[in-house]
Amino acid sequence: MTLHQKNLVVLLAATYLALSSTPLVAIAQVTATPAEQVDLLIQQNDGEGLLKIAKQLRSGVVVSTDNSLKVPNYPKARQALEAAVTVAGIKQAEAKLQLAKMLLSGEGGLVDVDRALGLLDDVVKTGNAEAAYVRGQKLASLPNRAQEARDNLNLALRLGNGAAAFELAKLAGSTPEQATAITSFGLNLLRQRVVRGDAGAAFDLGGYYRRLSDKPDDQKEALAWYRKSAQLGQANAVVWVARLLGNPDMPFFDPAAAVEQYQAAARDGSIEAAEELVRDFTDAGPLKVPPKVYDVWIAKLIDAKDATAVLYYSQALQETAEQRRLSSDQLYEATMSGDVANVEDLIRIGESFRDGAGVVIDQTRAANIFRLGARNGSNAALTRLAHLVIDAPSLRSQENVALALEKLNGLAAKGSVTGQLLLGDMYAKGVFGQVDETKAVELYSRALATAESVEVLNRLAEVYLSSADIEKRKKAFPYIARASRAGSESAMLKEAEAYANGEIVEQDFDRAVTLYKEAISLGATDALVSLANLYLSRGGESAFHDAHEAFSDAIATGNREAPVEMARFLKANGKLDEAIDRLTAAARKNNSPAAVELYEYLSERAQNPNVGADWLRVAVKTMSEIPREKVHLASAMLMPTDIRLNLQGASMLRELADAKIPGAAVALSNVYIEGKGKAKDVQAGLELLEQASQKGDVDALLKLGDLYMDGKYVEEDGEKAVGFYRAVIALHPDDPTANMRMARAYREGRGVERNLTVAATYLKTASDAGSRMATRDLGLAYMWGSGVKREEDKAVQLLRSAAQHGFVFAWGDLAETYGAAIGPDVDASQNFRLNMRGAREGHVSAMIGAGIALLSGFGTQRDPEAGILWLERASAGTGWDAPDAMYRLAEVYKYGIGVDKDPKKAREWELRAANAGSTTAMFHLALELEADNTDASKAQAIKWLQKARALQHVQAAKKLKRMGAGDMSSASMQGVEDDGVEE
């Protein structure tokens, strides 16, 4: 059977080697495994036997006669030592020393420093040099224990432990001369012991030079001493020889020799050495471990039930869902039982559960693993635990929060910027209950006083920017400017926006332009779009030219994303032909995304999915390896009626879906459900989604929920839809999309009983998880008191946060609060500024608001030319409110608002608005046609009124009734009164 035919179930079948026939117990007990012998020896109160078996269990028991790897059993070793220390005798002190080491390292259970120090103190009193050294070394790391540490280390040195000299030299209070003298003494002492054949002394010398510096000479000296230690019989020294030979930064780097040394150590039983070989092969490391070597040791590690090997092996296999679940369970159980001693491996396993790399994603398990590492003193595990607790409210258990708080406080007290930053994040995100901005600012400020950190500067800015108080928001600007000067791209964009808006700093368009250009030079395409919008917001004859030039300059410098962004900009401004020309030029230069966008524009203009399909073939030839771009291309290939393109696109999507690329399985199901490119087969599409959902594909579960909630392609079933959304939340409690869907279900009472309070709870979860839409909706809930207590300040704060984090609709919501006194008092200038923010980011309603303000002078200086420009841009959009912009333009020319009256242009815009679906335009166009008082014009008027009535326009229905051209019998129009109803 080859390696790749092995099933992970082999993990359950590892065999233990019985001890040789030492007459420790009765004949019937000789064949018991070492782990089983612990219980027998405890019953016999055999202290010496318990110590012996504990050492064997701690160093590892050989797996089998065919597998020389030694597997430690830390929990059982610890149990044996716990029993041994209670048995008086000559071996009791040694048992206490061994147990103390396990308590300090966390082997087989939690770290217990206090108890370990107590046990070591007992052993030190017997004159044991190693116990004095271990105790002194640990005390040196604790606050206010320096003198005790010095006393213990001095005793260890007097008793002959040379390594104690190195620890003494590092203690605070030692002068450079004293440190040099004591280090020399320790080195000489160790060298003398090596001459006498002491392998441990040679190992200590290797460690000293290895840690001394990264200089090649010191590392070479370390290598020499480790080799000497290995020659004298120190097994661990061989692994360090391999590690030093395998360091690509050293001149003596020798990968082949390193591999051979690792293999030698592994053949001698070292699990650690076998793991290094497997790790290098899986990660394509510098040693270039041959596949044959990997196959040998991965098989032996799996046979040894090694948790790290399970992780690497599961990554290498195409597992079934059941195998994946089984291996995930085994890996987690092995990790939590203490089988993973290497902290780096512990963290890697935690990250795998966090990210779903090779195992079934499970953030709760990830948090538990990181918590285990944090308890055992790993700051790397602590920071990962803290990030999970901050980002995922469902993981904010009392245990997780308390541990993170305790450990981070310890880090912060030592001046750690990371500790202070993460503590600040916890207060800023409300991890301890309510958001505490004051405490967050205090911690961020402490971190900033320690080091000028761009990350901390941005955090401080975000806290102030999230405030509803304009004076507090102004405090953000100095931090933004400092982070911008330090090279932070995001801060540079914020600074440019601040100068463009003139809210938290005096408006300075030229400065904003300079900053945007600087960000563009660093490759920030977002800055390019913002700059173009800024030019348009200023108005004037050169506005469009300047924006156009900014895109052209970016394209000339080779910005790959600029052609597509420029095309979208041109299309939004009614220049589709030029957009197509730009995309054509980029597509001819092998820009695959441009070719896909070009196909979409050409087919949309022609209203024919086959027009421009050749550009999809070009895109395939120049396809990038970016997964989202491949999904976009494959989805587009399903649109034409070319069966070859359809099949190729479907094949690409299957491959991407198998690789679990987000969106691929859903796009593939659309082939069948929506009939893209081939005959519709809704059932086949549903089966694809079901298969993907059974593998934990969140996108597929959400798609199934949406299908049953909307009822367009399948029979509507709200309860079934809610079941799929709940399945997502069971996998990922903080999934923002699923929580948003549940909020909608409870808000509308679809699939569940209507409950606005529960809806608000789901919105809060989605908002905390980063959903800008949820933050906006939660803000509106607080504005209207929908399911929560009405709080205008909190509403404004949430709306502003959503807007500043990219949800452009929120700018319009904010503008409305200041323009209509829904929340705060009316503030015309604030209303205009907020509409301009949304307009520059492409929000059509905000464009309309900004345009009307510029035309009327509401909150800003009148600028009719700029106002018309924004209305024209809004009318070129594809959203539901674009027809409203068209009608506004009709009014501009009808009444001469900022321009000369032009009835012809007014009628053209009114007709465009009516054709685009504006019922207001339909109604007023009908009134004007009726006023023309001809039979033809009256007939046209009736047609427009009928269209408006079909779209629920009340006044149109009344007008038809008065004209005798229609009635109010439509069910949708029943109950409408004639009196007191205005449009």
Side-chain angles (χ1 to χ4, degrees):
M1 179 182 291
T2 65
L3 167 65
H4 298 294
Q5 292 172 323
K6 285 178 176 283
N7 189 294
L8 290 182
V9 177
V10 73
L11 293 167
L12 301 175
T15 306
Y16 294 99
L17 179 66
L19 288 175
S20 58
S21 54
T22 305
L24 294 172
V25 290
I27 297 296
Q29 299 168 344
V30 171
T31 57
T33 66
E36 292 167 343
Q37 288 188 40
V38 171
D39 298 323
L40 298 172
L41 291 166
I42 290 173
Q43 292 173 16
Q44 296 183 357
N45 207 30
D46 185 348
E48 188 172 349
L50 284 166
L51 176 61
K52 183 176 181 180
I53 206 74
K55 285 182 175 180
Q56 184 180 10
L57 289 166
R58 189 174 177 222
S59 63
V61 178
V62 174
V63 175
S64 67
T65 53
D66 298 323
N67 188 344
S68 60
L69 291 179
K70 295 178 181 177
V71 181
N73 187 334
Y74 295 125
K76 210 65 181 176
R78 196 152 159 172
Q79 181 188 357
L81 290 171
E82 289 284 8
V85 297
T86 64
V87 181
I90 58 172
K91 296 295 183 178
Q92 186 180 35
E94 190 177 352
K96 288 183 177 181
L97 174 59
Q98 294 296 322
L99 179 57
K101 288 181 179 180
M102 296 192 77
L103 291 170
L104 289 174
S105 65
E107 292 174 348
L110 295 178
V111 171
D112 190 339
V113 175
D114 291 338
R115 182 155 181 253
L117 291 175
L119 290 169
L120 288 169
D121 190 38
D122 292 344
V123 184
V124 169
K125 291 171 183 176
T126 68
N128 186 295
E130 185 180 3
Y133 169 71
V134 172
R135 191 169 192 272
Q137 188 181 42
K138 186 59 189 178
L139 287 168
S141 68
L142 302 177
N144 305 319
R145 306 291 291 270
Q147 187 54 52
E148 286 182 80
R150 191 181 300 279
D151 293 341
N152 278 268
L153 291 170
N154 274 318
L155 175 60
L157 189 59
R158 287 197 301 273
L159 292 171
N161 189 301
F166 309 143
E167 297 297 327
L168 280 167
K170 292 188 292 185
L171 285 178
S174 298
T175 65
E177 293 78 13
Q178 289 173 330
T180 301
I182 200 165
T183 298
S184 297
F185 179 80
L187 290 171
N188 289 331
L189 181 61
L190 288 171
R191 289 189 182 106
Q192 292 170 16
R193 287 172 51 193
V194 172
V195 172
R196 295 195 295 270
D198 190 329
F203 189 84
D204 288 342
L205 283 166
Y208 168 77
Y209 284 106
R210 176 175 56 83
R211 290 186 287 268
L212 184 60
S213 79
D214 292 331
K215 294 178 181 178
D217 287 346
D218 289 328
Q219 295 300 305
K220 188 176 182 179
E221 186 77 7
L223 177 60
W225 285 113
Y226 279 131
R227 277 179 164 155
K228 181 66 175 177
S229 179
Q231 290 170 4
L232 292 172
Q234 183 83 2
N236 291 346
V238 181
V239 175
W240 278 109
V241 170
R243 284 177 177 155
L244 290 173
L245 289 171
N247 185 347
D249 296 329
M250 290 296 118
F252 48 78
F253 174 54
D254 188 340
V259 169
E260 183 49 47
Q261 289 292 316
Y262 276 130
Q263 289 208 81
R267 285 192 292 268
D268 199 37
S270 172
I271 287 271
E272 195 175 12
E275 288 174 348
E276 294 283 1
L277 290 166
V278 168
R279 183 182 292 111
D280 185 88
F281 178 86
T282 308
D283 294 343
L287 302 185
K288 295 182 171 53
V289 171
K292 289 183 179 179
V293 173
Y294 165 81
D295 284 348
V296 167
W297 293 109
I298 189 69
K300 290 183 180 295
L301 282 168
I302 288 173
D303 188 35
K305 298 199 298 182
D306 180 69
T308 303
V310 174
L311 173 63
Y312 284 110
Y313 188 40
S314 64
Q315 290 174 341
L317 288 177
Q318 293 293 324
E319 295 178 302
T320 65
E322 180 62 23
Q323 288 173 327
R324 188 178 173 86
R325 184 198 60 74
L326 178 62
S327 63
S328 298
D329 291 345
Q330 291 168 340
L331 174 62
Y332 179 70
E333 289 168 9
T335 304
M336 295 305 292
S337 67
D339 288 354
V340 181
N342 186 298
V343 174
E344 290 180 4
D345 285 336
L346 189 73
I347 291 170
R348 182 170 186 140
I349 292 168
E351 289 175 338
S352 296
F353 278 106
R354 181 191 65 191
D355 304 329
V359 296
V360 176
I361 190 169
D362 190 325
Q363 292 198 334
T364 301
R365 284 182 169 183
N368 291 342
I369 293 169
F370 291 143
R371 188 175 66 235
L372 178 63
R375 279 179 172 165
N376 289 344
S378 168
N379 288 336
L382 170 63
T383 57
R384 285 157 177 79
L385 173 65
H387 280 299
L388 279 179
V389 169
I390 291 165
D391 297 336
S394 64
L395 298 177
R396 295 174 187 173
S397 66
Q398 184 176 356
E399 188 176 11
N400 285 344
V401 172
L403 180 66
L405 178 62
E406 175 196 347
K407 296 291 186 180
L408 288 175
N409 273 329
L411 279 181
K414 295 177 182 177
S416 165
V417 172
T418 299
Q420 292 159 347
L421 180 67
L422 288 172
L423 272 177
D425 289 347
M426 293 177 81
Y427 283 105
K429 294 289 187 180
V431 172
F432 306 114
Q434 294 297 316
V435 170
D436 190 337
E437 293 179 359
T438 303
K439 189 68 176 176
V441 168
E442 177 193 332
L443 285 157
Y444 291 148
S445 299
R446 281 170 55 191
L448 195 60
T450 304
E452 183 78 356
S453 164
V454 164
E455 193 174 3
V456 176
L457 288 167
N458 280 321
R459 290 289 211 291
L460 279 163
E462 287 171 7
V463 169
Y464 287 121
L465 284 174
S466 66
S467 173
D469 184 346
I470 182 62
E471 295 305 318
K472 281 189 177 181
R473 290 201 300 279
K474 287 179 179 179
K475 291 182 179 181
F477 185 76
Y479 299 110
I480 293 171
R482 283 167 67 181
S484 176
R485 287 193 297 272
S488 168
E489 191 178 295
S490 62
M492 205 174 291
L493 289 174
K494 284 190 180 76
E495 187 180 10
E497 289 172 5
Y499 279 115
N501 300 325
E503 182 190 55
I504 63 174
V505 69
E506 187 176 350
Q507 196 170 50
D508 187 336
F509 282 108
D510 292 336
R511 179 64 180 149
V513 168
T514 300
L515 285 162
Y516 278 134
K517 287 184 174 179
E518 189 176 344
I520 292 166
S521 69
L522 298 174
T525 307
D526 288 349
L528 176 60
V529 177
S530 297
L531 177 59
N533 288 329
L534 177 61
Y535 282 132
L536 288 186
S537 71
R538 294 181 67 176
E541 294 180 1
S542 67
F544 188 82
H545 172 269
D546 292 340
H548 192 283
E549 188 175 39
F551 280 110
S552 299
D553 290 345
I555 292 171
T557 60
N559 186 316
R560 181 174 174 272
E561 297 174 327
V564 172
E565 292 297 341
M566 184 175 191
R568 291 170 180 168
F569 169 79
L570 290 167
K571 184 186 178 191
N573 285 280
K575 299 185 181 296
L576 181 60
D577 289 340
E578 187 184 349
I580 288 172
D581 289 342
R582 286 283 178 174
L583 288 172
T584 301
R588 285 174 176 161
K589 293 180 180 177
N590 297 331
N591 188 320
S592 179
V596 177
E597 194 93 359
L598 177 58
Y599 160 72
E600 292 175 342
Y601 285 14
L602 290 169
S603 60
E604 180 184 334
R605 183 175 66 177
Q607 294 295 298
N608 184 339
N610 294 314
V611 173
D614 283 343
W615 287 110
L616 292 177
R617 299 180 184 93
V618 171
V620 171
K621 293 177 183 176
T622 59
M623 179 172 50
S624 79
E625 290 303 312
I626 299 173
R628 59 179 171 80
E629 291 184 1
K630 293 176 78 172
V631 172
H632 185 197
L633 169 58
S635 300
M637 291 167 70
L638 305 174
M639 302 306 295
T641 56
D642 184 326
I643 189 65
R644 290 185 179 180
L645 268 180
N646 301 158
L647 291 173
Q648 191 175 0
S651 176
M652 285 172 59
L653 287 173
R654 284 192 188 92
E655 182 182 339
L656 292 165
D658 288 343
K660 297 181 176 61
I661 301 301
V666 170
L668 182 59
S669 72
N670 288 340
V671 174
Y672 301 99
I673 293 174
E674 299 177 17
K676 291 182 177 179
K678 59 191 299 183
K680 183 182 291 189
D681 188 342
V682 174
Q683 191 56 42
L686 290 175
E687 287 176 6
L688 279 169
L689 290 173
E690 290 281 3
Q691 291 169 11
S693 68
Q694 288 169 8
K695 296 177 183 178
D697 188 316
V698 169
D699 290 326
L701 286 164
L702 289 170
K703 177 71 174 180
L704 283 166
D706 291 347
L707 286 169
Y708 284 103
M709 184 63 79
D710 298 338
K712 183 177 180 181
Y713 297 102
V714 296
E715 185 178 349
E716 184 177 333
D717 188 334
E719 290 186 12
K720 200 167 188 177
V722 167
F724 285 116
Y725 299 147
R726 291 193 194 280
V728 175
I729 292 173
L731 288 171
H732 308 290
D734 307 306
D735 184 274
T737 306
N739 278 281
M740 279 291 292
R741 298 288 199 277
M742 289 299 295
R744 172 192 169 196
Y746 275 100
R747 187 169 59 240
E748 299 176 2
R750 300 179 65 186
V752 291
E753 187 175 344
R754 189 168 185 263
N755 188 320
L756 295 179
T757 301
V758 175
T761 302
Y762 279 108
L763 283 178
K764 176 72 165 58
T765 301
S767 176
D768 288 343
S771 168
R772 298 165 298 181
M773 183 187 292
T775 302
R776 178 251 194 167
D777 286 358
L778 188 61
L780 293 176
Y782 276 104
M783 184 64 71
W784 299 107
S786 176
V788 291
K789 183 181 178 182
R790 191 164 186 255
E791 294 184 46
E792 293 172 1
D793 288 345
K794 190 173 185 66
V796 170
Q797 181 181 349
L798 287 164
L799 290 172
R800 184 175 297 280
S801 176
Q804 288 174 337
H805 287 87
F807 194 75
V808 295
F809 291 97
W811 291 119
D813 298 323
L814 271 173
E816 189 177 348
T817 66
Y818 287 98
I822 297 172
D825 294 335
V826 174
D827 185 336
S829 61
Q830 183 78 316
N831 171 268
F832 172 70
R833 279 197 297 267
L834 292 167
N835 267 324
M836 281 303 303
R837 287 289 295 269
R840 282 198 294 269
E841 295 184 36
H843 184 212
V844 174
S845 290
M847 291 180 196
I848 295 171
I852 292 171
L854 287 163
L855 284 164
S856 63
F858 181 73
T860 185
Q861 186 176 350
R862 286 186 77 243
D863 188 343
E865 187 177 357
I868 290 172
L869 183 65
W870 277 113
L871 287 175
E872 287 179 343
R873 190 176 183 198
S875 70
T878 57
W880 61 269
D881 40 7
D884 184 32
M886 297 174 192
Y887 182 70
R888 299 287 186 174
L889 282 166
E891 290 184 314
V892 166
Y893 289 107
K894 182 187 293 185
Y895 302 113
I897 304 171
V899 294
D900 293 335
K901 290 183 180 181
D902 190 332
K904 185 179 178 182
K905 272 193 174 181
R907 177 60 67 87
E908 287 175 359
W909 278 110
E910 197 167 54
L911 190 58
R912 284 181 62 181
N915 283 320
S918 169
T919 55
T920 303
M922 293 175 191
F923 180 71
H924 285 280
L925 182 59
L927 294 181
E928 292 164 15
L929 287 165
E930 183 191 18
D932 290 345
N933 203 27
T934 67
D935 290 342
S937 64
K938 285 183 178 179
Q940 282 293 103
I942 290 172
K943 286 182 179 179
W944 281 116
L945 288 170
Q946 288 172 337
K947 283 187 177 182
R949 183 182 65 179
L951 293 171
Q952 313 296 305
H953 193 279
V954 176
Q955 294 290 65
K958 292 180 180 180
K959 181 66 178 174
L960 281 168
K961 185 177 181 180
R962 287 196 291 269
M963 291 173 69
D967 56 39
M968 299 289 287
S969 61
S970 171
S972 61
M973 306 303 292
Q974 287 178 1
V976 176
E977 301 288 342
D978 281 344
D979 298 328
V981 178
E982 295 182 355
E983 182 184 352

